[in-house]
Amino acid sequence: MLYYMPTKLYYGQKCIFENKEEMILGEKAIIVTGRNSAKVTGALDDVISVLKEYRIPYIHYNEIGENPTYEMVIKGKEIALKEECDFVIAIGGGSPMDAGKAIAVLTANSDLTPDDLFDMENYDVALPIVTVPTTSGTGSEVTPFAVLTKPNGRKSGFKSDLIFPDVSYLDPRYMVKMNKELTLTTAVDALSHAVEGILSKRATVMSDILARESIRLIYEYLPKTLVNLDNVEYREKLAIASNLAGMVIAQTGTILPHSLGYRITIHKGIRHGQATAIFLPLVAEEVDKYSPEKTKIIKDIFGTLDNFFKFLKDLGIYDFNITFTDDELELFTNEVMSSAHIKNTPGVYDEKKIKEMYTKITKI
Ligand SMILES: [Zn+2]
């Protein structure tokens, strides 16, 4: 058994200012963000004020959209090379953090293309990475993963110990600006990470301990936060829950619900966390048939698997209207069957069962 989490994580309100010298990991920074969230949350201003204090020059690349593409990370690499940046500060939700990780590897290995990221044998160095999350869902601030959307539209993750951030700052003050929908969809992403972690064939004693606390915190604080969006204490609980869930998947990886959800995000535009969490009860039920001991933590917290489903339903994550054509079902099923996620999911899965899962979620 192994527990490995090499990121230095500072958490709590104003943690950047209390540990500002730790942010200086080079002589020129590329700050990677989306268009708005880094700015409106106040995180960008805080980072820039620290860089200015230490007289560290920086370039700000703010073109990372949701579900980052090859184009976005290639552009970031080109800017970082041209400007001779030697460390990355990624601020935002999962997309800027994941893009920042890709840019850190591509800049340090300038002959590589984004396709090369998916084989970790191709590189053994990356620029140092600092992350400042402004959502509480992906846990990317403590994981060795980054997810990119390939030119063929397929969403795929790559993994390397080199992209564990060196330093992350988890400050709940940056999260109070999230609206209700984003709060919900990111929190259920965190919930998916924790639940998939306990169901995974790769679950460990350590990952289960972290996952249990993560699920408990989400169960207790997500409903409260949704009606008190600016309560920073509740935000802190969800930030910690999401972070613990990130530490879980850093050990276990994600399983079937993530693979099922990626297709819905890309083809139907449903946000990642929601697209994933809608499958959790179906997969938990399936795992329960083969490895009932794996669902014990869910039952301890929610009482029954039915109650777990009801909790999700009451949050409104099934309130959407989508249908699938036969061609879509065929495509999604083939992609899911060939994904790595399915191998780590207890149970027996064939094309028929995967198609049934897609059909079921349209009828809830
Ligand atoms: Zn996720």
Side-chain angles (χ1 to χ4, degrees):
M1 293 292 190
L2 169 69
Y3 177 74
Y4 185 57
M5 211 299 280
T7 301
K8 191 181 268 193
L9 172 77
Y10 291 105
Y11 60 98
Q13 295 186 44
K14 302 194 176 165
C15 60
I16 279 189
F17 295 111
E18 284 161 15
N19 306 280
K20 54 192 174 188
E21 67 289 349
E22 301 275 352
M23 191 192 296
I24 312 302
L25 299 182
E27 291 176 0
K28 184 167 184 180
I30 177 166
I31 301 179
V32 179
T33 71
R35 292 232 177 253
N36 297 312
S37 69
K39 179 77 189 156
V40 298
T41 55
L44 179 64
D45 288 346
D46 287 356
V47 165
I48 288 175
S49 78
V50 171
L51 294 178
K52 283 190 170 154
E53 188 180 332
Y54 285 85
R55 298 176 195 278
I56 297 294
Y58 63 90
I59 183 101
H60 180 195
Y61 173 48
N62 71 345
E63 294 174 29
I64 306 302
E66 215 169 315
N67 307 309
T69 61
Y70 279 19
E71 267 173 20
M72 293 173 198
V73 298
I74 289 170
K75 187 161 179 193
K77 163 193 171 173
E78 284 168 356
I79 293 170
L81 285 172
K82 181 166 162 273
E83 298 284 335
E84 298 184 347
C85 299
D86 59 359
F87 71 115
V88 174
I89 303 177
I91 309 170
S95 299
M97 287 194 278
D98 286 6
K101 291 173 171 182
I103 292 167
V105 178
L106 292 173
T107 307
N109 304 269
S110 56
D111 52 328
L112 296 189
T113 67
D115 270 331
D116 298 325
L117 296 170
F118 294 85
D119 181 353
M120 60 172 109
E121 302 278 299
N122 286 330
Y123 47 95
D124 52 18
V125 60
L127 298 190
I129 301 165
V130 177
T131 68
V132 184
T134 61
T135 65
S136 46
T138 78
S140 187
E141 71 278 6
V142 288
T143 74
F145 305 118
V147 180
L148 296 176
T149 301
K150 294 186 171 186
N152 64 6
R154 191 164 174 172
K155 221 175 140 165
S156 296
F158 70 94
K159 177 185 181 198
S160 163
D161 285 348
L162 296 168
I163 61 168
F164 267 113
D166 296 81
V167 178
S168 290
Y169 296 98
L170 186 69
D171 185 336
R173 291 179 311 138
Y174 303 143
M175 295 159 195
V176 294
K177 291 280 191 325
M178 273 192 281
N179 65 26
K180 195 168 176 180
E181 193 221 343
L182 190 61
T183 303
L184 174 63
T185 55
T186 51
V188 293
D189 186 26
L191 182 64
S192 302
H193 296 159
V195 170
E196 290 178 42
I198 59 168
L199 299 178
S200 171
K201 287 180 185 170
R202 296 174 57 203
T204 66
V205 173
M206 292 291 279
S207 66
D208 276 354
I209 290 169
L210 300 169
R212 178 189 289 271
E213 181 61 4
S214 173
I215 297 169
R216 191 194 69 74
L217 286 170
I218 294 168
Y219 175 56
E220 185 173 350
Y221 288 98
L222 176 56
K224 289 182 191 174
T225 309
L226 289 173
V227 290
N228 294 282
L229 292 174
D230 54 1
N231 183 310
V232 75
E233 273 87 47
Y234 295 169
R235 290 288 185 184
E236 183 150 20
K237 302 289 187 192
L238 290 185
I240 288 172
S242 149
N243 190 262
L244 293 176
M247 293 182 195
V248 171
I249 55 167
Q251 317 307 314
T252 64
T254 53
I255 59 166
L256 190 51
H258 263 68
S259 187
L260 292 161
Y262 283 161
R263 323 301 152 197
I264 300 205
T265 296
I266 292 297
H267 296 270
K268 302 291 169 187
I270 294 188
R271 280 182 188 267
H272 166 67
Q274 183 179 10
T276 305
I278 51 179
F279 292 104
L280 291 175
L282 301 182
V283 175
E285 224 175 77
E286 210 52 42
V287 171
D288 193 54
K289 288 184 203 160
Y290 296 90
S291 312
E293 75 286 353
K294 288 207 165 278
T295 53
K296 187 176 176 305
I297 293 175
I298 305 176
K299 292 174 190 161
D300 284 351
I301 294 170
F302 293 91
T304 63
L305 290 185
D306 268 356
N307 286 354
F308 174 50
F309 168 65
K310 193 170 175 305
F311 173 77
L312 290 172
K313 193 163 185 293
D314 290 347
L315 290 171
I317 64 165
Y318 293 96
D319 299 347
F320 54 75
N321 228 332
I322 52 172
T323 52
F324 304 115
T325 64
D326 288 346
D327 284 352
E328 282 175 333
L329 282 180
E330 203 61 41
L331 173 73
F332 296 179
T333 303
N334 287 339
E335 286 185 354
V336 169
M337 290 301 292
S338 66
S339 71
H341 302 83
I342 208 160
K343 295 186 195 76
N344 291 318
T345 312
V348 182
Y349 303 92
D350 56 15
E351 286 167 13
K352 186 167 164 273
K353 199 174 275 178
I354 298 299
K355 273 187 196 165
E356 270 172 19
M357 286 184 169
Y358 276 117
T359 311
K360 263 189 193 167
I361 59 112
T362 65
K363 294 180 180 157
I364 289 171

